[in-house]
Amino acid sequence: MAVSVPVPLFQFLLFLVLSRASYSSSEYLIGVGSYDITGPAADVNMMGYANSDQIASGIHFRLRARAFIVAEPQGNRVAFVNLDACMASQIVTIKVLERLKARYGDLYTEKNVAISGIHTHAGPGGYLQYVTYIVTSLGFVRQSFDVVVNGIEQSIIQAHESLRPGSAFVNKGDLLDAGVNRSPSSYLNNPAAERSKYKYNVDKEMTLVKFVDSQLGPIGSFNWFATHGTSMSRTNSLISGDNKGAAARFMEDWFENGQKNSDSSRNIPRRVSTIVSDVRKNQSRLLDISATYKSSKGHSVDKSLLDAKVRVRNGSKRRFVSAFCQSNCGDVSPNTLGTFCIDTGLPCDFNHSTCNGQNELCYGRGPGYPDEFESTRIIGEKQFKMAVGLFNKATEKLQGKIGYQHAYLDFSNLDVTVPKAGGGSETVKTCPAAMGFGFAAGTTDGPGAFDFKQGDDKGNVFWRLVRNVLRTPGPGQVQCQKPKPILLDTGEMKEPYDWAPSILPIQMLRIGQLIILSVPGEFTTMAGRRLRDAVKSFLISLNSKEFGNNLHVVIAGLTNTYSQYIATFEEYEVQRYEGASTLYGPHTLTAYIQEFKKLATALVNGQTLPRGPQPPDLLDKQISLLSPVVVDSTPLGVSFGDVKADVPPKSTFRRGQQVNATFWSGCPRNDLLTEGSFAVVETLQDGGTWVPVYDDDDFSLKFKWSRPAKLSPESQATIEWRVPQSAAAGVYRIRHYGASKSLFGSISSFSGTSSAFVVV
C-alpha cells in the first residue's frame, strides 16, 4: 500500500538530509556579526594616553564590535568579539555575560566568550571600573559603558542568529613594515641566545582566519597582528579606530565593492550619476543643476530618519565582517620612522627616550609624518593588503574539536615555581599591583610629563613624598616589586574603591588546530613569544598525534579585562615603561606561562577547572564627575541644522580636494546616533532623488564638533569631505544630522543640508 507523506513533513525531512550533508562537509556552524559602539563624540576624555586634555570633539570614523561564533553542530562553541576600543573591561564583560545568560541560558559564558580590544587610543573612556583607568575621564561615563555593552551583545546576537554550516580556513604570513620596537634597549636585555632565534625585535607574523558559508561563500575574516593603536596622537580629538579600525573598514568595503582593488583609496564607485548621459562633457549642465539646490534651513526630523547610512543590510544578505585583532603589542609602535626630539629634530636618547634629559620632547614619527591621519591610513592599509593576500590564499582548513578553558586567578598573591640559579626550582610569589616611576614617563607614542623618564629604577625623593600622600607601600611590597621603584601602589589602594584589578581571567579557545590565548593585558614581543612557544610545545608534548601537525597559536591581547603590561623578567629589570607597567612584579610572565599550561592540560584531558575567585562587580560604586548636557541653543533667528558656512555656489571639486560645510548643531551626547550618522554625503540621482554615498563611518569624511566657549550652550558641526579617488562624477551635497536638548530636558532631532556642488 502506498503511503503519502504530507508536503510540510517531506520538506522537513529534506531539510534534515541537506543539513546533515552540509554539516558533514563543512565541519562547523559559523556566524558573524557587527554593531556600532562609537559612543559619545563630545566632552568625554579619550582612553589610552591618560591625557586629560584629549577630549572627544567629533568622529574620524565609527567604532564597531565585530563578532564570530564557531560551533560544532551538536557540541561546543566559542564566541570571539573584537572591539574598536582601547581594551576590554571587567565590568563590561560581567554585564555582557549577564545579558547573554538571560537570553541564551548557559550557551555563552565566561568560559567560551572572549572580548578583546584593538587598543585604539582614540575612543571614549570611562567604561572601565577600576579607579586608575578612569581618573582622566572624571570617573565612570555611563554612555561609554552602555554603548559598548549593548554593541557587544548585539554583535553576538547577530552572529548567533546567522549560524549556518560553513568552514574556517587559516593562513599566516609576515608583514614587515607596520611596527617597530619602541623599547629596543629593554628588548636587548633578554638573553642573546634567545634573541638569536628571531630575525626581528618585533613579531611580524599575521595569522588570519577566513570564514566561508557553505552556500553564501565568504562571510568574514579575523586576524591577529601586533602593533599599537597609536598612529593617532595624544592631541587628536576625533573618535577613531586608528590603524586597525581603518584596516577593518578598508577590507569590509573592499569585499562589498566586489574585491576589485586592494588600494583603499581606489575602490569602485558606490553610485554612478544618472542625471546626465556623459558627466565629463556636460559639466556646465551639472553646475546648472547644482545651482538649483541651495542649502536647506535646519528642520526637525523624525528619529527614525537618523539611521540614514551607506552600509545597510540588504534583505537577508549578510554583510562581510572583517576584524583586525590585537596581539602582543606591548613594545610595538606603528610610528615606524623612529623617535626624534621635537626641539632639535635629532634622534632621542636610546636608553631613556629623552631629549636633553626630558621625556616630553621625544616622539615617534609615523610613516605619514607630520599627518597623523595619513599615518593611520598607511599602517591600516598595510595590514589590510596583507590580510587580503592571506584571505585570497587561505586553503588550510581548520578541522577537529572546538574547545575552551578559563580560570580566574588572584595575581596579587600567586605561587610561582621558577628555576634556581644553581639548579632545581623554588617558589616565589606575584605581588599586589604597583606602577613604577618609568610608567609616568609614558612612551615615545605618547610621552608623560614632569621629570620622569623611562628606565628609572631608583625614583626620587620628591615624588615619593607625593606618592605617600596616597599610600606608602610597605616593606614587603617594596621587596616583592624590586627592582621597580613604586610610584603608585595601586593594588593596595581601595578608596573610594579598587584602583587596580587583583583577580584576572585567563582563557584558551580552540578551533581545530588553532589555539587562541586570551590575555588581559599587553604582552611585549618577547613575553608573547615565550608564552606562545611554551603553550605550543606543551600541547604537543601532551598529545603529539592531535597537535603535532600544523598547530597555530595566537595571542589575543587586552582581552576580557585590562591589567596593563606583561614584560619578561629581563625587561622588567630595565624598568622602561613596559616593565614599570608590569603590575604584579618580576615573575608575572612566568605566572602566566605556568597557569596557561594548566589550561592546556585541562583542554587536552577534557577536565573542568575550578572557577577560581570572582572579580568584583563595582558598578554600583562608580563615581562620575562629568557634567551632563544642560541645554543647547542657537543665535536668535537661527535653527538647529542651519548652515553657518556653506559650500560656495556653483563649486566644482576634483578627487583629492576637500569640501567643507559648517552647521549650527547640538551636543552629540544628546543622541549617539548609534548605527546612524552625524554626517552624510549625498549624490543626486535621476528624478531628483538624493542618495547617501558616504557617511561618518568613511575614512574620507570627518565630523568635527565644537563650542565657541567651554560653557557655551551654542555649538557647531563642521563636516569635511576629502573627495576619494573612487568618487563618481556628479552632483553632491552634505547633510548633517543631530539632536538638541531643551531647557526642559526634551531631545529633538534635526537635519540640514549644504548647497549642492559638482565633483568631476
Side-chain angles (χ1 to χ4, degrees):
M1 181 179 68
V3 179
S4 63
V5 180
V7 172
L9 178 58
F10 174 77
Q11 291 174 335
F12 177 69
L13 293 172
L14 180 62
F15 171 77
L16 288 179
V17 171
L18 292 176
S19 297
R20 180 169 296 182
S22 295
Y23 291 154
S24 61
S25 63
S26 62
E27 191 81 32
Y28 302 130
L29 299 176
I30 57 174
V32 295
S34 175
Y35 204 80
D36 188 355
I37 59 167
T38 301
D43 301 332
V44 175
N45 184 252
M46 289 183 165
M47 182 63 199
Y49 286 116
N51 175 15
S52 59
D53 294 328
Q54 190 188 13
I55 305 298
S57 62
I59 297 174
H60 178 208
F61 58 92
R62 286 191 169 256
L63 311 179
R64 302 196 70 80
R66 296 174 170 92
F68 75 75
I69 297 173
V70 181
E72 297 167 343
Q74 302 297 327
N76 291 336
R77 64 183 58 202
V78 295
F80 188 96
V81 185
N82 191 58
L83 301 179
D84 288 345
C86 195
M87 66 281 290
S89 155
Q90 185 64 72
I91 191 61
V92 166
T93 301
I94 289 172
K95 296 307 175 183
V96 167
L97 292 172
E98 287 179 359
R99 291 192 183 190
L100 294 176
K101 183 174 180 61
R103 183 179 292 270
Y104 298 116
D106 292 330
L107 200 58
Y108 301 104
T109 69
E110 63 199 17
K111 295 180 179 181
N112 66 345
V113 175
I115 301 171
S116 183
I118 64 170
H119 210 37
T120 174
H121 287 44
Y127 64 94
L128 288 86
Q129 71 172 355
Y130 297 106
V131 174
T132 300
Y133 311 127
I134 55 176
V135 170
T136 57
S137 62
L138 300 179
F140 190 71
V141 180
R142 187 76 199 207
Q143 268 191 323
S144 296
F145 170 79
D146 284 342
V147 75
V148 173
V149 171
N150 186 61
I152 295 169
E153 181 191 23
Q154 291 301 318
S155 70
I156 292 175
I157 290 171
Q158 288 181 20
H160 175 85
E161 292 182 348
S162 66
L163 281 169
R164 291 168 46 91
S167 300
F169 300 86
V170 65
N171 197 7
K172 56 188 179 183
D174 286 347
L175 174 57
L176 300 182
D177 51 358
V180 295
N181 197 305
R182 69 185 187 188
S183 287
S185 60
S186 181
Y187 180 88
L188 288 173
N189 206 48
N190 291 305
E194 181 180 35
R195 287 186 281 112
S196 68
K197 297 191 298 183
Y198 304 99
K199 187 175 181 179
Y200 304 104
N201 63 0
V202 296
D203 281 341
K204 303 290 187 178
E205 188 172 79
M206 175 184 285
T207 300
L208 178 139
V209 177
K210 175 180 180 179
F211 298 107
V212 180
D213 185 292
S214 293
Q215 294 183 351
L216 301 177
I219 58 170
S221 69
F222 279 57
N223 70 73
W224 290 265
F225 177 76
T227 194
H228 248 77
T230 49
S231 292
M232 301 296 290
S233 74
R234 68 192 300 272
T235 58
N236 161 64
S237 64
L238 300 185
I239 290 175
S240 174
D242 209 278
N243 57 70
K244 286 188 175 290
R249 169 53 52 239
F250 298 157
M251 189 157 183
E252 288 175 348
D253 285 352
W254 164 81
F255 188 88
E256 296 293 341
N257 289 335
Q259 309 172 52
K260 297 294 179 66
N261 199 315
S262 59
D263 182 340
S264 64
S265 66
R266 295 182 179 275
N267 279 321
I268 63 173
R270 297 174 186 174
R271 302 275 181 178
V272 178
S273 177
T274 59
I275 56 176
V276 295
S277 57
D278 189 330
V279 171
R280 298 191 182 278
K281 291 182 179 180
N282 291 279
Q283 184 174 337
S284 61
R285 172 65 177 143
L286 288 179
L287 286 172
D288 290 340
I289 293 172
S290 71
T292 65
Y293 292 93
K294 306 296 184 182
S295 61
S296 69
K297 188 170 179 60
H299 57 281
S300 297
V301 295
D302 187 87
K303 174 125 173 46
S304 63
L305 298 177
L306 298 183
D307 61 357
K309 285 185 71 66
V310 173
R311 300 165 184 84
V312 294
R313 287 183 173 230
N314 182 15
S316 61
K317 181 179 181 293
R318 291 196 288 185
R319 291 199 65 83
F320 184 83
V321 177
S322 180
F324 286 69
C325 311
Q326 195 53 271
S327 191
N328 53 320
C329 67
D331 52 0
V332 187
S333 170
N335 297 312
T336 53
L337 296 186
T339 60
F340 298 90
C341 300
I342 59 175
D343 56 344
T344 65
L346 297 174
C348 303
D349 171 76
F350 181 75
N351 289 317
H352 300 289
S353 298
T354 55
C355 302
N356 294 319
Q358 294 181 284
N359 72 81
E360 301 98 316
L361 302 177
C362 176
Y363 279 86
R365 293 180 181 175
Y369 174 83
D371 186 342
E372 61 189 305
F373 297 98
E374 181 65 4
S375 291
T376 299
R377 184 196 66 78
I378 292 171
I379 298 298
E381 192 168 81
K382 288 177 183 296
Q383 293 176 77
F384 154 59
K385 288 182 175 180
M386 184 71 197
V388 166
L390 295 176
F391 180 87
N392 286 335
K393 297 178 180 178
T395 57
E396 182 185 340
K397 191 173 182 179
L398 293 178
Q399 296 176 304
K401 297 177 182 177
I402 301 293
Y404 47 82
Q405 289 291 336
H406 178 282
Y408 285 117
L409 301 165
D410 185 353
F411 263 78
S412 69
N413 187 31
L414 200 61
D415 289 332
V416 185
T417 301
V418 298
K420 294 176 69 173
S425 62
E426 61 179 335
T427 299
V428 295
K429 284 185 175 291
T430 54
C431 325
M435 296 187 290
F437 278 66
F439 154 80
T443 72
T444 55
D445 292 333
F450 305 110
D451 56 347
F452 295 102
K453 64 180 181 181
Q454 296 193 68
D456 182 358
D457 60 359
K458 305 295 184 199
N460 68 55
V461 173
F462 173 76
W463 288 111
R464 281 195 172 91
L465 291 174
V466 174
R467 170 202 67 190
N468 292 346
V469 173
L470 293 172
R471 180 179 174 85
T472 303
Q477 173 75 325
V478 171
Q479 182 63 34
C480 186
Q481 291 279 355
K482 276 186 175 181
K484 177 197 294 177
I486 298 173
L487 177 64
L488 290 172
D489 190 17
T490 52
E492 298 181 312
M493 295 164 66
K494 305 294 182 181
E495 298 296 334
Y497 42 87
D498 293 3
W499 280 58
S502 296
I503 298 167
L504 302 178
I506 62 170
Q507 182 185 52
M508 183 179 294
L509 306 180
R510 177 187 179 186
I511 308 171
Q513 65 269 33
L514 173 69
I515 301 293
I516 302 171
L517 307 179
S518 301
V519 298
E522 304 173 59
F523 276 60
T524 63
T525 297
M526 193 62 86
R529 288 169 174 170
R530 289 185 190 176
L531 177 63
R532 276 198 312 263
D533 291 348
V535 170
K536 184 174 184 177
S537 60
F538 190 68
L539 282 169
I540 293 172
S541 71
L542 291 173
N543 191 330
S544 60
K545 182 179 180 180
E546 189 171 1
F547 292 108
N549 189 26
N550 295 328
L551 178 63
H552 306 278
V553 180
V554 298
I555 289 175
L558 306 112
T559 300
N560 293 329
T561 190
Y562 183 62
S563 60
Q564 295 176 242
Y565 285 74
I566 300 91
T568 68
F569 181 88
E570 295 81 2
E571 291 165 348
Y572 187 91
E573 291 181 311
V574 177
Q575 282 297 296
R576 280 181 62 91
Y577 177 83
E578 295 80 16
S581 303
T582 297
L583 296 183
Y584 306 101
H587 304 294
T588 301
L589 173 60
T590 308
Y592 272 101
I593 293 172
Q594 170 185 284
E595 298 304 317
F596 265 105
K597 286 182 176 180
K598 294 178 183 177
L599 294 191
T601 300
L603 184 73
V604 171
N605 296 334
Q607 299 170 328
T608 300
L609 291 173
R611 193 181 183 198
Q614 296 303 290
D617 179 341
L618 302 176
L619 186 59
D620 291 340
K621 295 185 177 182
Q622 295 302 309
I623 297 171
S624 178
L625 302 177
L626 179 67
S627 300
V629 179
V630 178
V631 66
D632 293 292
S633 68
T634 58
L636 190 64
V638 174
S639 300
F640 290 105
D642 279 3
V643 175
K644 182 182 180 185
D646 202 1
V647 180
K650 283 198 169 186
S651 293
T652 299
F653 296 89
R654 298 186 180 277
R655 294 166 185 84
Q657 293 183 318
Q658 182 170 297
V659 190
N660 299 339
T662 301
F663 301 81
W664 289 101
S665 192
C667 182
R669 285 199 284 156
N670 294 325
D671 188 332
L672 303 183
L673 297 189
T674 301
E675 290 293 1
S677 184
F678 290 104
V680 176
V681 174
E682 300 173 332
T683 190
L684 184 63
Q685 295 291 292
D686 192 24
T689 303
W690 289 95
V691 178
V693 284
Y694 297 91
D695 61 22
D696 63 14
D697 201 13
D698 276 288
F699 202 85
S700 63
L701 192 150
K702 298 185 183 74
F703 166 69
K704 296 183 175 181
W705 179 86
S706 63
R707 292 187 179 99
K710 187 173 183 179
L711 299 179
S712 174
E714 296 180 1
S715 64
Q716 59 193 44
T718 297
I719 297 170
E720 299 175 354
W721 183 44
R722 179 77 60 183
V723 183
Q725 296 299 320
S726 60
V731 177
Y732 291 84
R733 69 181 182 185
I734 293 173
R735 179 181 291 276
H736 170 45
Y737 289 104
S740 61
K741 185 176 184 179
S742 74
L743 191 59
F744 303 103
S746 61
I747 304 296
S748 300
S749 303
F750 64 83
S751 176
T753 59
S754 73
S755 295
F757 55 92
V758 173
V759 170
V760 295

